[in-house]
Amino acid sequence: MLHIDIITVVPELLDSPLSHSILGRAKDRGLLEVNIVDLRKYGIGKHYQVDDYAFGGGAGMVMMPQPLMDCIEDLQSQRTYDEIIYMAPDGEQLNQPMANKLSLQKNLMLICGHYKGIDERIREHVITREISIGDYVLSGGELAAAVVVDTVGRLLPGVLNDETSALFDSFQDNLVAPPVYTRPAEFRGWKVPDVLLSGNFEAIEAWRYDQAVQRTKTRRPEMLEDE
Ligand code: ADE
């Protein structure tokens, strides 16, 4: 069972993407537990303030350390976290090996930034890892956190019905996935490759591997250079 707490000021953004399809099944099967924590509850004063102006001036608000720390410590009093992760565009870029490693953990905390981000002292003293989902800026960390939960959640043993299928995903062996086809065998005159209809399992495997290598060469050549 993997437990993930997500700290956010916009909990509504996370409800829907994490409740359906494969992740919904992971939760139903008791393999994944996702707890969305509304940071506003830890806000200061009668307006439950969570952000303030940046020291030194400039546009944009910064998330204050106190509400975040209160929230983090409250969660830490309930469980021990393997990682306290801050979603940030300048973090380490998410990839398949990172997702594989995270899927082996027990308790993760994901913190979603808003506005100009969170006070640097929290990043320096409390955060154990910073993850970006790509070189572009989102309006908050929530969609990035949803991406992390999705890619990690589907790797948990028992989540995918075909136990082996995650092993054949793109990127799992430094290759992108081969093309796939379903019925009908001929559609508008476009035919499925004969080998896939041959029933010859070895030939099919060889064809798929070859296709994966060819595709990786043409679409993602840098993946083959990494080795
Ligand atoms: N927050 C804003 N942009 C982000 C990104 N690209 N990855 C992770 N968190 C973010």
Side-chain angles (χ1 to χ4, degrees):
M1 151 77 91
L2 172 63
H3 178 97
I4 304 179
D5 285 295
I6 309 179
I7 302 179
T8 170
V9 286
V10 202
E12 303 78 15
L13 264 178
L14 286 160
D15 286 341
S16 181
L18 303 181
S19 320
H20 300 287
S21 183
I22 286 170
L23 285 193
R25 194 199 300 156
K27 287 190 200 168
D28 293 344
R29 291 182 179 176
L31 304 167
L32 173 68
E33 193 171 65
V34 183
N35 177 35
I36 297 165
V37 184
D38 187 354
L39 182 66
R40 189 69 61 181
K41 294 198 185 106
Y42 299 86
I44 296 171
K46 68 174 192 290
H47 297 299
Y48 296 94
Q49 188 183 346
V50 295
D51 58 337
D52 208 338
Y53 295 100
F55 276 128
M61 306 293 274
V62 177
M63 288 168 70
M64 295 188 288
Q66 186 72 63
L68 267 175
M69 205 61 207
D70 288 348
C71 180
I72 292 167
E73 284 178 337
D74 195 7
L75 294 173
Q76 281 177 319
S77 72
Q78 297 164 49
R79 46 177 52 82
T80 305
Y81 289 88
D82 300 300
E83 299 273 13
I84 300 181
I85 300 167
Y86 176 49
M87 302 310 305
D90 59 348
E92 190 187 347
Q93 193 159 323
L94 181 66
N95 56 23
Q96 196 62 51
M98 199 194 294
N100 293 347
K101 280 192 205 121
L102 290 173
S103 77
L104 299 173
Q105 305 290 8
K106 288 270 154 282
N107 293 300
L108 300 174
M109 192 189 298
L110 303 184
I111 299 178
C112 306
H114 258 269
Y115 323 111
K116 282 255 147 229
I118 67 174
D119 189 285
E120 185 66 19
R121 290 165 291 186
I122 298 291
R123 295 178 77 163
E124 200 178 325
H125 298 291
V126 184
I127 299 293
T128 61
R129 172 170 222 153
E130 303 191 330
I131 299 179
S132 163
I133 63 161
D135 284 348
Y136 41 81
V137 178
L138 301 164
S139 57
E142 285 75 13
L143 296 179
V147 167
V148 169
V149 174
D150 188 289
T151 193
V152 171
R154 63 189 290 285
L155 294 171
L156 300 172
V159 170
L160 298 181
N161 276 330
D162 179 353
E163 273 289 346
T164 61
S165 67
L167 297 175
F168 298 117
D169 286 343
S170 282
F171 309 112
Q172 281 298 17
D173 45 12
N174 262 339
L175 294 174
V176 301
V180 292
Y181 300 86
T182 186
R183 287 183 288 182
E186 184 172 339
F187 175 72
R188 298 197 175 174
W190 305 323
K191 292 196 173 112
V192 169
D194 285 338
V195 61
L196 296 178
L197 310 175
S198 69
N200 180 341
F201 186 69
E202 261 176 38
I204 291 171
E205 281 305 286
W207 180 86
R208 286 186 171 148
Y209 180 74
D210 183 60
Q211 288 287 316
V213 172
Q214 291 311 320
R215 286 207 154 186
T216 308
K217 274 187 194 155
T218 53
R219 295 171 186 224
R220 300 295 304 275
E222 81 288 358
M223 283 171 63
L224 297 169
E225 287 155 18
D226 279 358
E227 292 296 278

